[in-house]
Amino acid sequence: MNLICWGCAVAAGLLAVAGVSAVELAAREETPEVLACYVVPAVDLPGNDGVRLGGLSDLFVAASDKNGIVAWTITDRGPNGTVGTGADKRRTLLVPNFSPAIVRLRLTAAGGAAAATISAILPLAGRSGRPVSGRPNGVGRDEPILDAASGEPVPVDHGGLDTEGLVVLPDGSFWASEEYRPSLVRISAAGRVLERHLPAGVALPDADARVIDDLPAVYADRRDNRGFEGLAVSGDGTRLFLLLQSPLDHPQKGAAKETGNVRMLVIDAVCGSPLAEHVYRLGNPTDPHWATAGAAPGDGKLCALTALGDGTLLVLEQADGGLARLYRVDPRAASDTLPRTLQAADEPLETIGDLRAAGIEPLPKVLVADLAPLLPRIRADIGHPADAPVKLEGLAVLDERRVLLVNDNDFGVAADPAGPSPRSCLWIVELPSALPGQKSFAVDR
């Protein structure tokens, strides 16, 4: 198996992110276009009490050729909601014993009609073969989650996972990111959770997997429901890029509200241990104060990540109010902050407003596409009302001009019980200009 297929070929002589011209940047501000929409069949998920497929949280394209697109995806922890308001708002699970699953899809366009079919569903299980649940682990800063039916806290589960990111390796096995601890999870080709990498000092003795606490301890201070989200693998298959959804609550809650500093780990793809760390700063990089004072959008979220052929990464950044943008970032041009993190530096990354004055170069960002103009079309495809938020949670690159997106439909649970059930969809989007270093690729998976 040629690893070039998994990250696309590296092209020589291309400009680094920091060297993109103003002309190119202006071209990238043009509007992208939806080329096709595929509705994911809402089939019953095995062993999940009639829960239908949904809650899709990432994408990994394994093949793109004349026969269609083969894409892998993964569900999150299951149907959930909230009760109460304001400070008394509590999260609920509608099906506490839900088991997350990995799903393989094939997308075709026979006769011009876009169709998505399901070719495999792998419910996650522990090393013992027992199903993995989506319940919280009950340690650290976990807030109790309620059973939606009884109103009582659900039983905790050291093996519970809220899976979000997914990559597929050439041997058919998987790496997944998850939010609870947060953790990086190694999964066999059969869907068995083999090992789980946690922040240092976190113990899960009943996890039904090998537990390795080799991630920096500070990551245990993740914001509630905002752990590891984006996950990507480098073109040569040697490194993983593991991205938090939002800034850590470190050293206290809300510490990074103004700076918008989000951490990304670079991981050895063989052993799962960290190699480096970089700072992704939320907000508009053209703001003159972006790197020196912080220009974070309200409640910014990093929802998906994928590797590009020239060594850069493509990141999906969203925020309340309809912000949805694709940025290209270059880890080679960013400071490695892992040494200061491991040394527990006096000033945490989350509180540093002027990164450059602190000698820290954030991941340089270049706007690839503003997706906001596409949101009305995307809402209509999902079946959302005009003012409903859109949760785009998966991203994959098909070639130099096309990307694939997927939404999280919360398993069809409508915000308004009288309204329609929102659909899971995938969209092929054409970008305003070509991504560097990208080539069409096709592999048999």
Side-chain angles (χ1 to χ4, degrees), residues 68-87:
I69 300 166
V70 175
W72 291 87
T73 183
I74 192 167
T75 73
D76 61 23
R77 63 186 168 188
N80 60 88
T82 57
V83 295
T85 58

Side-chain angles (χ1 to χ4, degrees), residues 316-328:
L316 172 59
E317 181 175 331
Q318 298 182 94
D320 293 345
L323 184 147
R325 292 177 176 172
L326 292 178
Y327 285 107
R328 184 164 60 94

Side-chain angles (χ1 to χ4, degrees), residues 9-20:
V10 176
L14 293 166
L15 292 175
V17 169
V20 173

Side-chain angles (χ1 to χ4, degrees), residues 136-321:
N137 306 142
V139 300
R141 292 189 177 183
D142 275 2
E143 295 185 9
I145 298 178
L146 306 182
D147 184 322
S150 69
E152 297 296 320
V154 300
V156 299
D157 179 2
H158 281 187
L161 297 173
D162 186 6
T163 43
E164 293 292 342
L166 182 74
V167 298
V168 188
L169 300 181
D171 64 0
S173 65
F174 309 91
W175 282 106
S177 58
E178 76 88 33
E179 293 204 280
Y180 279 139
R181 285 295 34 89
S183 61
L184 176 67
V185 184
R186 188 193 296 270
I187 302 171
S188 75
R192 296 287 181 93
V193 176
L194 303 177
E195 63 187 44
R196 193 169 173 189
H197 294 260
L198 310 174
V202 175
L204 294 176
D206 300 320
D208 199 12
R210 183 187 179 206
V211 171
I212 307 167
D213 64 338
D214 59 351
L215 304 184
V218 69
Y219 283 77
D221 290 345
R222 62 103 175 99
R223 180 177 165 187
D224 184 44
N225 206 44
R226 301 286 180 87
F228 287 134
E229 187 83 6
L231 182 64
V233 62
S234 62
D236 61 5
T238 63
R239 289 160 295 140
L240 301 172
F241 300 93
L242 184 59
L243 185 62
L244 288 166
Q245 185 177 27
S246 295
L248 293 173
D249 274 343
H250 180 76
Q252 68 274 334
K253 288 190 175 183
K257 183 177 181 181
E258 299 301 325
T259 66
N261 294 339
V262 185
R263 299 179 188 236
M264 182 181 78
L265 283 173
V266 183
I267 301 288
D268 186 309
V270 176
C271 67
S273 297
L275 300 172
E277 180 188 65
H278 305 299
V279 175
Y280 182 106
R281 172 157 277 186
L282 295 166
N284 183 357
T286 65
D287 185 303
H289 305 296
W290 173 74
T292 58
D299 200 24
K301 309 176 187 73
L302 303 178
C303 300
L305 176 72
T306 192
L308 300 179
D310 69 336
T312 62
L313 303 167
L314 194 62
V315 180
L316 172 59
E317 181 175 331
Q318 298 182 94
D320 293 345

